[in-house]
């Protein structure tokens, strides 16, 4: 059960609600976010929900039987919109496009990609400075100095930044330079990281785990929301299956299912989803047709020279062509 | 190596070609189809391909390194078109639509669905009369008598029939009443069935196995083609993964990959691909956007009363709406 | 519900039982096997099972809620034993060993392997004459003539034969020369083949499909049993997963689960289960420890020269060593 | 390439080695562990390895082509042994047994389980105080105070402790109270955590990820080793597959493959591996037969009352029986 509280609830009314719910035998989590105050109440006893609904200070009450509560569409119908400022929004019915290199490599690289984005009216740039790599001997990113440079160039050009955070201690140092914190597939169930990202007032994009279920992804999102941050979006990026003709198997089914089960915006990552450059654009288009609120893909001036993920990265020409097709199709959704 | 022979090759020229290839140490399979005569030559020795190309009677020679040969796009670029007669074609750049119930149930049921198809200008009806069922105690279809009835009503209305064949002995009895033989997911590697379907002059649709790889699907198609039948199409119908939020995981990646690797038309089955009625339409649209040559889906007057697969079957209203969206989108592909 | 009938039931009593069960609204399948006469009754209405149990001619009645009935351990506790004659048994508490080459290749090959088996007191030889191959251009086995030769040599040496049957039309021609018909992984849901094997009085070994579930395997076995053949055993041979460090992932869990759910003997195929020669023996031992009633593995005089599956085939020395360890361990189970 | 350096290498000799390797164009990682000093050198240029081998201060040189280096059996043959002190060892040819509850719940619970362990001569107790839970509303463990209590009781009874660490900030506070840090399946690729655990002089057990490959597990181990900690062991705990008859699919193949590829001890977790109490013992036995160096399983006085994982937890009677069978079988390995 989720109890939405009135914005200016009196403390005596709140205490009354808490003790009433306790009396039913439910465990309460008191959640304050940027947008509201909720009580998430968990228990199994039967009771008349109207008794709760009629208490002073209660704005609304909803039964949510799933393991995830606040991210469920059972209490909040329709897509939530995330506002990054300067009229950059995600989940507003248009197709949000986020593009950029796998790794931030140099000032020159960032400048060229930013120019490409500006030219194509793309407002959000992706780019990793802390890179999770299978091998300890591989390039692990430019780190915080790379992020500062990345941020400086983007700010000069009106571009928002999405970049991966890998551990709790990075949150504070990255905070000033980031518009959206990305949680990577390997950290999709790093619960301590999720807890802390719930305490931050920045947007978060959580990727589904390599073999994460829909349900696990929604519960991971619940970690963040229940810690106080509702500026959240989910990302389908391909799952691990027996098929090895492609890097991952993009799970197109996940798009409509997530849109049904949650009010959070759903983003598609076709670059990781298929992992083959020539086919990234059609997967992006298919995802949009299936209901995605946006796409995040990899672009680089010279994909063949990228320090990582070149084989799934579009060049500027391919990227421009994709954007044109996305814009043409958005009308038909 | 594939050697395409001249249409009216002299027998002495052919003998000369055969002995020349034998001399290289290659094993030859002589394939005669509706459209041509090919020699599929398999071996590992090095040789100068121009020596073969210059022989009398040779139309063209192609190296194909994959395990599948005749179905490869390495020798035949672009999509093959399958002509079912009466201007009903698959693979001609438009979106072929095949719709109908999971199981043929009764004359009344067929008549109603045929009327729906006619009204929406759909030319191919699906419907099973031999049903592969996990349990021996489940309904296993109306059998050959059901097929005759199905055929009679369709012929009166200018509708082509696609239906599943489960075993070799059914081919002859079904032959007269079928326009496209469907090979189900469970028979995707029933090699004896594939061999025999290669000897038939009817179109064949092969579904990918439950956990079949792209490569296995193409090799299964090679069985049919190499036995003499090139009227062949492939069908992605969802694969088995760890995720159980849906019946199968529709593998959208398979669409562009198959279109790259083969010249055969590629059909999407969104009904089995997601298995949830509400979401079948967006998966169909996504598949088309990804490059599918057609879709096959389940429709029934009253899905909730269907003897099988009701939970993934559209009603007439939903079906009509989907067709309208498919037609609108085909322009944008 | 399964109703076991008295051996010498009067026809009037049987009619009475049938009409009583019909009256409850249950669909009845009348099953006569080598060992008994059963009525498998399927329906959802509530009724007092004692009313059925007290009818004349009823030996026993059991509720079985699973989709599979006659193969369930819910009505028959303990392992069924299959007697191949000459004191060769499977499921009698000892470890049945079946070994032999992937493919029957020549008289000389068979003679050498038979000698190896005789020397090590192994009573059942495997060897394929009809081979399911992904590619139509690969070696597809010696066929029926190979089987006759295989049979002649085995009979002279007191060895029983297990070999794969791929299609219905082969059953009759193979019947005389086979002790156990094997259904391969690709035919695990070839229901027409299963139906026909249910009508034969020979033992059957069904392999689990590539990505077959435990439940599907049991339902496939139900096809055979419900057609009249209870001389049945199941085989775990590795499943398809995301991991490609080995050919398949041997599912050790399947062994105890199948032993819990069914009374049929359970055999392990470690050769396909891991697909790497050096590790076949420990997988065989592990399977036995987990409760398998027997193992089936590949052995060849010169694995590196075998026409198929050489990389997972033991040589005589390795095979002998494995048998010794299996015998030592059987005491400890 | 791995260069093992002499224990008392002169700094000039080391500098000479470094510059020689640099000259070849290889990137060097200088690794100092509890046991030695290694240079991990990565590059693609061809060179004569004897030139390196003959330099002063070089103890040995090995080519290792895999992505993982120091954990590979290519340079260190045979199993590494981890010594926890007081004659408690892992990887010494015997079967190390670690048992205990999923979660540490109370003093009374710990005392009872410790008594059970002492009675059965088990020297290592598992028990979580920081619990990774899918839902934010579930019990997340007793935390550091629970660990202190757990430690106190174990120390009084000569029992070593293995417990899960979930994030970098916990390492320091847990350090004093832990004998083996466990990295859970969800953190198997939490590279920052792995980095930090490489800097600690305590043994580490890394679990394979939910859908982690053999190769990924070994590379995760390489993170720890290359940061300086070679007291490392790996744990197979079941993988995620399409089969849902059990919680996970215990990958028995992983045991012999890991034993082949690495010198690190390999532990089996049959509790998570099958997730069904009745079948945990045979999976433990099978794993040992397949070559595991030890097992870790869940035990509780009253599994049905455990706060977590009760359905896969043995009671004392079952645990005792398992230990007896493990001891009987260890002779036969």
């Amino acid at each position: 059960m989720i109890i939405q509280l009135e914005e200016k609830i009196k403390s005596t009314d709140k205490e009354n609600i808490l003790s009433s719910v306790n009396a039913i035998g439910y465990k309460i989590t008191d959640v304050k976010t940027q947008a509201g105050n909720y009580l998430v109440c968990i228990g199994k006893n039967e009771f008349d929900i109207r008794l709760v609904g009629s208490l002073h200070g209660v704005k609304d009450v909803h039964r949510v039987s799933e393991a995830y509560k606040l991210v469920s569409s059972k209490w909040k119908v329709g897509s939530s919109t995330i506002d990054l400022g300067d009229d950059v929004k995600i989940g507003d019915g248009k197709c949000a496009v986020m593009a950029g290199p796998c790794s931030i490599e140099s000032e020159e690289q960032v400048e060229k990609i930013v120019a490409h984005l500006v030219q194509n009216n793309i407002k959000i740039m992706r780019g990793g400075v802390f890179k999770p790599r299978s091998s300890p001997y591989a390039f692990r990113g430019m780190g915080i100095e790379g992020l500062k440079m990345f941020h400086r160039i983007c700010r000069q050009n009106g571009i928002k930044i999405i970049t991966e955070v890998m551990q709790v201690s990075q949150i504070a140092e990255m905070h000033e330079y980031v518009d959206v914190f990305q949680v990577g597939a390997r950290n999709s169930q790093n619960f301590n990281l999720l807890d802390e990202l719930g305490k931050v007032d920045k947007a978060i994009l959580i990727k589904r785990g390599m073999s994460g279920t829909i349900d696990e992804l929604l519960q991971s999102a619940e970690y963040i929301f229940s810690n106080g941050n509702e500026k959240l979006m989910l990302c389908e990026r391909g799952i691990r299956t027996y098929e090895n003709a492609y890097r991952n198997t993009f799970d197109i089914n996940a798009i409509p299912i997530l849109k049904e089960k949650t009010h959070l915006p759903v983003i598609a990552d076709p670059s990781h989803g298929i992992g083959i450059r020539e086919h990234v654009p059609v997967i992006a288009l298919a995802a949009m047709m299936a209901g995605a609120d946006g796409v995040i893909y990899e672009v680089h001036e010279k994909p063949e020279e990228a320090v990582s993920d070149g084989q799934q990265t579009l060049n500027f020409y391919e990227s421009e062509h994709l954007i044109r097709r996305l814009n043409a199709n958005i009308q038909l959704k």
Side-chain angles (χ1 to χ4, degrees), chain A:
Chain A
M1 175 175 59
I2 294 171
I3 303 173
Q4 281 180 276
L5 300 179
E6 300 274 10
E7 230 164 293
K8 296 185 176 176
I9 188 171
K10 283 190 228 161
S11 63
T12 50
D13 284 344
K14 185 159 174 182
E15 273 161 40
N16 183 39
I17 296 169
L18 291 171
S19 63
S20 301
V21 174
N22 271 325
I24 305 168
Y26 275 48
K27 204 188 128 213
I28 305 170
T29 306
D30 186 350
V31 174
K32 280 186 195 122
T33 72
Q34 304 99 339
N37 191 174
Y38 315 86
L39 303 179
V40 180
C41 310
I42 295 184
K44 289 189 176 171
N45 299 332
E46 296 286 325
F47 66 96
D48 185 344
I49 199 166
R50 290 169 301 181
L51 294 184
V52 176
S54 62
L55 295 174
H56 278 287
V58 170
K59 195 170 158 192
D60 216 340
V61 194
H62 316 264
R63 284 197 198 278
V64 181
S65 54
E66 280 82 6
Y68 48 88
K69 308 284 178 191
L70 292 161
V71 304
S72 169
S73 56
K74 288 253 176 89
W75 77 271
K76 190 176 174 191
V77 181
S79 189
S80 291
T81 300
I82 297 171
D83 190 341
L84 300 181
D86 304 319
D87 211 36
V88 180
K89 290 176 186 170
I90 297 157
D92 61 348
K94 295 189 197 128
C95 178
V97 178
M98 318 180 198
C102 176
S103 298
I104 295 300
E105 298 168 12
S106 70
E107 211 161 316
E108 195 199 344
Q109 177 224 33
V110 174
E111 277 166 352
K112 286 195 169 146
I113 297 174
V114 163
H116 167 71
L117 300 186
V118 168
Q119 211 169 346
N120 288 281
N121 203 29
I122 299 178
K123 298 294 192 190
I124 311 171
M125 180 162 164
R126 60 153 288 154
V129 295
F130 295 109
K131 300 298 302 173
R133 302 303 296 271
S134 299
S135 165
Y137 307 118
F139 174 65
R140 293 170 73 174
M142 287 185 77
I144 192 69
E145 291 311 313
L147 179 59
K148 288 178 185 172
M149 173 271 285
F150 179 21
H151 178 259
R152 181 171 43 76
I153 300 172
C154 282
R155 274 302 168 268
Q156 291 163 355
N157 291 276
I159 301 285
K160 304 291 175 187
I161 284 176
I162 174 170
T163 194
E164 179 162 355
V165 58
M166 285 178 66
Q167 63 175 330
V168 171
S169 66
Q170 291 164 349
I171 297 176
E173 59 171 350
M174 293 172 74
H175 191 273
E176 186 180 340
Y177 310 103
V178 165
D179 298 289
V180 185
F181 281 108
Q182 176 183 314
V183 178
R186 291 178 188 77
N187 278 316
S188 198
Q189 292 195 305
N190 183 333
F191 301 122
N192 300 107
L193 182 61
L194 301 178
D195 275 342
E196 295 309 311
L197 289 171
K199 296 168 189 162
V200 164
D201 188 22
K202 290 268 176 168
I204 313 290
L205 176 146
I206 319 178
K207 290 199 167 185
R208 185 180 183 183
M210 296 261 172
S211 65
T213 62
I214 294 295
D215 212 72
E216 286 171 346
L217 177 57
L218 290 167
Q219 291 194 62
S220 286
E222 186 81 12
Y223 264 89
I224 296 176
F225 200 130
S226 69
N227 271 287
N229 187 355
E230 28 183 302
K231 295 183 181 170
L232 253 183
M233 56 195 130
L234 307 176
C235 180
E236 162 58 33
R237 44 76 74 198
I239 59 172
R240 191 165 266 183
T241 69
Y242 68 86
E243 178 60 76
N244 50 36
Y246 3 92
R247 183 174 180 184
N248 292 298
T249 302
F250 186 79
D251 181 3
I252 190 90
N253 288 2
I255 308 286
I257 289 285
L258 285 171
K259 291 301 293 177
E260 173 197 328
K261 292 190 183 296
T262 181
H263 55 85
L264 303 176
V266 176
I267 307 298
D269 175 350
S271 301
H272 289 83
I274 186 160
I276 302 170
R277 183 178 167 183
E278 298 86 309
H279 302 310
V280 166
V282 293
I283 299 302
L285 288 160
M288 236 199 56
M289 195 56 58
D293 296 292
V295 296
I296 181 166
Y297 67 87
E298 293 179 348
V299 63
H300 193 283
E301 194 199 5
K302 295 179 183 168
E304 40 294 307
E305 294 176 13
V307 298
S308 52
D309 278 357
Q311 77 294 342
Q312 67 189 32
T313 300
L314 303 188
N315 64 24
F316 291 165
Y317 173 79
E318 293 160 336
S319 170
E320 193 179 320
H321 188 63
L322 170 57
I323 295 161
R324 227 177 303 132
R325 292 184 73 190
L326 284 169
N327 287 337
N329 276 283
I330 191 70
Q331 328 293 356
L332 282 145
K333 260 178 72 172

